[in-house]
Amino acid sequence: DTAVSQTPKYLVTQMGNDKSIKCEQNLGHDTMYWYKQDSKKFLKIMFSYNNKELIINETVPNRFSPKSPDKAHLNLHINSLELGDSAVYFCASSPDRTGSRGYTFGSGTRLTVV
Amino acid sequence: GQNIDQPTEMTATEGAIVQINCTYQTSGFNGLFWYQQHAGEAPTFLSYNVLDGLEEKGRFSSFLSRSKGYSYLLLKELQMKDSASYLCAVSPRGGSYIPTFGRGTSLIVHP
């Protein structure tokens, strides 16, 4: 199946832990993104990579570090997790950086920090 | 910066037509997206408007007026499966192109 797949789907962890979320797309898209959707349902951009190069790094704590080993993968590592990090994290991709043909989102990772 | 406003919730009856409005203020405009998001699922792309006017795609149509900073999503022949959140997002001109999303309109379709 052609898609954006992210793992894990659910992640429950204690404060202070370090965790990673993986994302892969087999659509041949050039651009990948990480979005955070909070309890109020706002989708906020965190990072964007185009052909493995970081192009957007919004105001996100430096505890969050993206890594793109190749243009089909964009992983997100989070250090020293805090309660406020609890949210749904969506990976997405688009054919090019304009996004004009729409984004394809992964199914999301629901992170709960306890 | 960008500011996007859309109603929080709407209800409608199966088989009816519903119009979901979105107004925006932006320093530079490249295009406007509509996405559908069912509860607990990923957003899915519905439409992208760059020029003024109405674009029709099956039961869904999207309208844009750049001079008024206004868009709407029109859903015809509503079905129960259309119950979802509808997200309006505006892409800025130049630079990152990264769209800013509104908080979404939760549409509830009743039998």
Side-chain angles (χ1 to χ4, degrees), chain B residues 20-105:
Chain B
I20 302 174
N21 295 326
C22 172
T23 56
Y24 63 89
Q25 294 160 334
T26 179
S27 51
F29 177 84
N30 196 56
L32 186 143
F33 297 88
W34 283 98
Y35 282 82
Q36 179 191 61
Q37 185 177 23
H38 285 101
E41 296 184 11
T44 55
F45 172 70
L46 291 178
S47 64
Y48 180 64
N49 292 66
V50 176
L51 301 176
D52 291 351
L54 185 69
E55 293 201 7
E56 298 185 63
K57 216 187 264 186
R59 294 190 299 114
F60 291 9
S61 303
S62 56
F63 172 84
L64 175 67
S65 168
R66 288 170 297 170
S67 61
K68 294 181 180 175
Y70 169 68
S71 172
Y72 66 73
L73 182 69
L74 192 71
L75 291 75
K76 302 176 186 175
E77 301 169 17
L78 278 172
Q79 302 175 10
M80 298 295 287
K81 68 178 182 179
D82 297 330
S83 292
S85 185
Y86 290 87
L87 310 174
C88 173
V90 175
S91 174
R93 177 181 297 281
S96 72
Y97 298 102
I98 299 291
T100 297
F101 282 81
R103 67 185 307 152
T105 298

Side-chain angles (χ1 to χ4, degrees), chain A:
Chain A
D1 287 342
T2 53
V4 177
S5 55
Q6 57 181 106
T7 55
K9 192 168 175 62
Y10 300 95
L11 189 51
V12 181
T13 188
Q14 290 186 325
M15 277 195 321
N17 283 351
D18 303 338
K19 289 293 177 186
S20 292
I21 307 172
K22 294 186 176 181
C23 180
E24 175 182 2
Q25 56 96 2
N26 61 4
L27 298 163
H29 289 173
D30 284 346
T31 314
M32 294 185 73
Y33 313 84
W34 277 109
Y35 274 87
K36 179 181 180 180
Q37 189 169 42
D38 60 23
S39 57
K40 295 182 179 178
K41 304 302 181 189
F42 275 108
L43 263 173
K44 291 184 181 175
I45 185 70
M46 300 175 71
F47 302 101
S48 175
Y49 272 71
N50 189 63
N51 279 315
K52 299 195 305 175
E53 289 189 22
L54 180 66
I55 55 172
I56 291 293
N57 182 355
E58 288 296 308
T59 309
V60 174
N62 58 15
R63 299 181 294 104
F64 290 79
S65 53
K67 280 200 171 44
S68 183
D70 55 60
K71 78 171 196 177
H73 295 84
L74 180 61
N75 304 322
L76 183 65
H77 188 75
I78 316 169
N79 287 327
S80 304
L81 278 156
E82 300 177 357
L83 293 177
D85 297 332
S86 295
V88 181
Y89 293 84
F90 285 102
C91 177
S93 70
S94 62
D96 55 54
R97 59 183 294 173
T98 70
S100 62
R101 284 174 275 175
Y103 290 12
T104 302
F105 284 85
S107 56
T109 296
R110 183 173 294 277
L111 173 64
T112 305
V113 182
V114 297

